[in-house]
Amino acid sequence: MNERFDYLIVGAGSAGCVLANRLSADPGVSVCLIEAGGSDASPRVQTPAGTITLYKSKVFSWNYFSAPQKNLAGRSLHTPRGKALGGSSSMNSMIYIRGDASDYDRWESAGCPGWGWQDVLPYFKRSEGNRLGQSADYHGIEGELLVDRPPDPNPLSEIFIRAGEHLGLPRNDDFNGGSLEGVGLYNVTQKAAKRLSSYRAFIHPIRERPNLTVLTRCQVGRLILDGGRVTGLELQQDDQWRTLHCTCETILCAGALGSPHILLNSGIGPKDELKKAGVACQVDLPGVGKNLQDHIDGLVTVRSKSPLSLGFSLGSLPKVLASPFRYLFQKMGWLTTNYVEAGGFARTPLAGELPDVQMHFVPGYRSHRGRLFEWGHGYAIHTCVLRPQSTGEVRLGEGRRLEIDFNFLDKPEDGKVLVEGVKLARRILAQPEFDDIRGLEMLPGPQVQTDEQLLAHLRDYAATVFHPVGTCKMGLDNMAVVSPELKVKGLDNLRIADASIMPTLISGNTNAPCIMIGERAADFILTPRTKTPTIT
């Protein structure tokens, strides 16, 4: 097969699939999209409820574990990332959230001109196919990524929303409109009650383009450099090493963990650290792998006898047995759930004008023992810190393996916000709307009440929401890895387009922002200008 392409795109995830679609729209260029995982053609991937089986899958997940977290009782946190066509968009909860407008204005003020909210909004709208009739001021209707409501929300999701309203939180029917604050049903990226990953939205329909090559089960080892240019890359496929060459550009879209790992293995990163890992430094970039940020999460989980919630019991057996038939013939029932159909954004007493926590409501029992399934019923609220101040890093460890250190709760402020978030979740669950299904709180548990006790509990149980960003941050300062045009500093034809370029974490789920980043990268490549490109 051909080993030379105009564009090499590493990673068929949220951003990479968009980029491959836009670049290959020109029949005069050749594009190669490279994915380390395999096919997404599995009911576990395509059926929304299958998402719960993917996080620990040996087939569909990388199953990283972090370094022991010094502020979380020395625990190593499970950190799944997608390993299939679609990347993490083939294993996530399909929630479509952009974050707050101020997130992007903060990027711009931090040295990323052209990345303010009014600059990025048109790119969000370009890819979106909104099916909810939401305001055209914020939404697009012609994009490939369909955005809809959950097809058959569990009754407990509405109970959560009404309880939040009772507490004073506004009902929000569009978290991607003028305001994040409030509680409501999340929009989801689904089509006909099936997952619509970035791959299914942007690549699967155009897979037969003759100028587009999609390679699977190909793990990139390193980039090949010739002076200030990337001339190609080495990858391993079926235990065989191959070399691909590029004539125009190589774009890393391997995510906040994968992209810095490839750079470091290629000798692009902090000189002293590369030397320590036994890698010859090609480009001294001190920011590679630094600035890791993620949403830290606390859980309140309750046992309940109500068979209305998702769960296995004698009372729910008829519903469970009927679910495959309801799904196949009606596109309804349990198999349509993404497990976090409802949620919201709120301000704790520590917040300013903007929400500082996000909630994901689960209308089923989340195991207090960490099991995938538990017998019985219940409900839970995950609450995460939206703008954490703690930052960590990724680095090369023994054998050049990736080491991930979130450094969670390094800043005491994050712990204080998380404690307040858990207290807020408890207040919502204490509202009378839950009286008919009320049960025993299993975590943190009734014995955990004071702020000090809650913080100690969170050190033992807090986890990540799987939103890592920032490890190849965009900007103009000395720790920036890419320019505002996403070009890697010190190299002419290498860009990065994924969550790693975010200088700061956005206020919410990261799939939609990564798709936007892919759209922007395509415009930077296809419409080179002296100023930031804009679209109407």
Side-chain angles (χ1 to χ4, degrees), residues 255-459:
L257 306 183
S259 287
H261 196 193
I262 292 171
L263 290 180
L264 293 169
N265 274 325
S266 305
I268 304 168
K271 184 176 181 179
D272 292 341
E273 293 184 22
L274 289 172
K275 182 179 179 181
K276 183 179 179 181
V279 180
C281 182
Q282 304 294 326
V283 179
D284 185 10
L285 270 183
V288 173
K290 311 304 180 185
N291 193 48
L292 174 62
Q293 300 160 59
D294 202 342
H295 291 129
I296 186 170
D297 174 86
L299 173 68
V300 178
T301 186
V302 176
R303 279 279 198 189
S304 170
K305 295 181 180 180
S306 172
L308 285 176
S309 67
L310 302 173
F312 297 100
S313 68
L314 293 177
S316 69
L317 189 59
K319 184 167 56 176
V320 172
L321 293 177
S323 61
F325 302 99
R326 292 200 68 203
Y327 182 72
L328 286 173
F329 298 111
Q330 298 176 312
K331 306 301 181 188
M332 302 282 280
W334 188 1
L335 293 179
T336 67
T337 188
N338 67 340
Y339 301 98
V340 281
E341 300 154 342
F345 299 82
R347 288 177 290 166
T348 73
L350 301 176
E353 297 180 355
L354 298 172
D356 57 349
V357 294
Q358 179 182 7
M359 294 169 286
H360 295 85
F361 176 73
V362 182
Y365 183 63
R366 285 307 309 269
S367 172
H368 63 290
R369 293 176 282 212
R371 294 177 179 176
L372 184 60
F373 294 108
E374 290 263 7
W375 182 261
H377 294 274
Y379 45 87
I381 298 179
H382 287 273
T383 306
C384 70
V385 179
L386 280 179
R387 297 180 189 83
Q389 297 184 32
S390 305
T391 60
E393 65 177 2
V394 298
R395 52 187 177 258
L396 291 181
E398 184 178 352
R400 297 191 183 182
R401 288 192 298 270
L402 188 67
E403 288 188 356
I404 306 162
D405 185 2
F406 292 106
N407 199 24
F408 280 136
L409 300 190
D410 180 59
K411 302 297 184 182
E413 293 80 3
D414 295 344
K416 293 175 182 177
V417 173
L418 189 55
V419 165
E420 292 296 332
V422 170
K423 289 159 65 176
L424 172 63
R426 277 178 156 176
R427 289 198 296 274
I428 292 175
L429 296 178
Q431 297 306 304
E433 284 75 13
F434 280 96
D435 283 350
D436 290 342
I437 59 172
R438 193 165 303 286
L440 176 65
E441 180 184 288
M442 303 299 291
L443 288 179
Q447 75 282 2
V448 179
Q449 291 297 328
T450 68
D451 288 4
E452 292 76 15
Q453 289 171 334
L454 279 169
L455 182 58
H457 163 82
L458 290 166
R459 293 189 190 279

Side-chain angles (χ1 to χ4, degrees), residues 63-315:
N63 283 314
Y64 294 113
F65 279 85
S66 76
Q69 296 297 286
K70 63 183 180 181
N71 299 307
L72 297 181
R75 293 180 296 125
S76 294
L77 304 184
H78 183 225
T79 309
R81 307 307 300 153
K83 190 179 182 182
L85 290 169
S88 292
S89 73
S90 284
M91 70 180 300
N92 66 6
S93 296
M94 297 155 277
I95 295 173
Y96 185 83
I97 288 287
R98 299 170 176 174
D100 192 79
S102 65
D103 295 330
Y104 303 95
D105 291 337
R106 183 164 55 147
W107 290 6
E108 185 170 48
S109 64
C112 303
W115 286 85
W117 173 243
Q118 291 304 319
D119 300 300
V120 302
L121 177 59
Y123 292 88
F124 279 114
K125 294 168 68 174
R126 172 192 278 181
S127 58
E128 182 186 9
N130 189 279
R131 294 297 180 266
L132 295 165
Q134 292 172 324
S135 171
D137 291 340
Y138 298 100
H139 296 281
I141 61 173
E142 297 180 355
E144 296 91 335
L145 187 72
L146 302 191
V147 175
D148 211 336
R149 74 189 300 275
D152 189 17
N154 185 276
L156 268 65
S157 295
E158 179 60 29
I159 290 175
F160 164 80
I161 294 169
R162 288 192 281 108
E165 288 184 291
H166 197 148
L167 194 62
L169 296 170
R171 180 181 288 253
N172 192 336
D173 293 323
D174 184 5
F175 293 116
N176 301 299
S179 172
L180 267 182
E181 192 164 8
V183 289
L185 290 176
Y186 284 126
N187 291 355
V188 292
T189 52
Q190 295 180 8
K191 181 178 181 180
K194 291 184 177 181
R195 175 189 296 276
L196 191 64
S197 68
S198 188
Y199 170 76
R200 288 283 161 169
F202 296 99
I203 296 299
H204 190 261
I206 55 98
R207 183 78 183 258
E208 299 306 315
R209 284 179 181 171
N211 62 328
L212 173 63
T213 299
V214 179
L215 301 179
T216 58
R217 304 192 184 282
C218 293
Q219 188 162 349
V220 172
R222 70 180 183 96
L223 304 171
I224 301 171
L225 278 63
D226 182 7
R229 290 186 61 79
V230 173
T231 61
L233 54 82
E234 292 180 352
L235 58 80
Q236 189 175 25
Q237 183 180 39
D238 299 326
D239 296 324
Q240 298 294 319
W241 284 95
R242 298 169 55 187
T243 300
L244 302 185
H245 303 277
C246 73
T247 57
C248 294
E249 292 196 27
T250 295
I251 308 100
L252 298 183
C253 302
L257 306 183
S259 287
H261 196 193
I262 292 171
L263 290 180
L264 293 169
N265 274 325
S266 305
I268 304 168
K271 184 176 181 179
D272 292 341
E273 293 184 22
L274 289 172
K275 182 179 179 181
K276 183 179 179 181
V279 180
C281 182
Q282 304 294 326
V283 179
D284 185 10
L285 270 183
V288 173
K290 311 304 180 185
N291 193 48
L292 174 62
Q293 300 160 59
D294 202 342
H295 291 129
I296 186 170
D297 174 86
L299 173 68
V300 178
T301 186
V302 176
R303 279 279 198 189
S304 170
K305 295 181 180 180
S306 172
L308 285 176
S309 67
L310 302 173
F312 297 100
S313 68
L314 293 177

Side-chain angles (χ1 to χ4, degrees), residues 7-12 15-21 23 31-35 212 233 249-253:
Y7 295 100
L8 298 175
I9 301 172
V10 180
C17 287
V18 180
L19 189 54
N21 177 301
L23 294 183
V31 177
C32 184
L33 178 62
I34 304 161
E35 170 57 38
L212 173 63
L233 54 82
E249 292 196 27
T250 295
I251 308 100
L252 298 183
C253 302

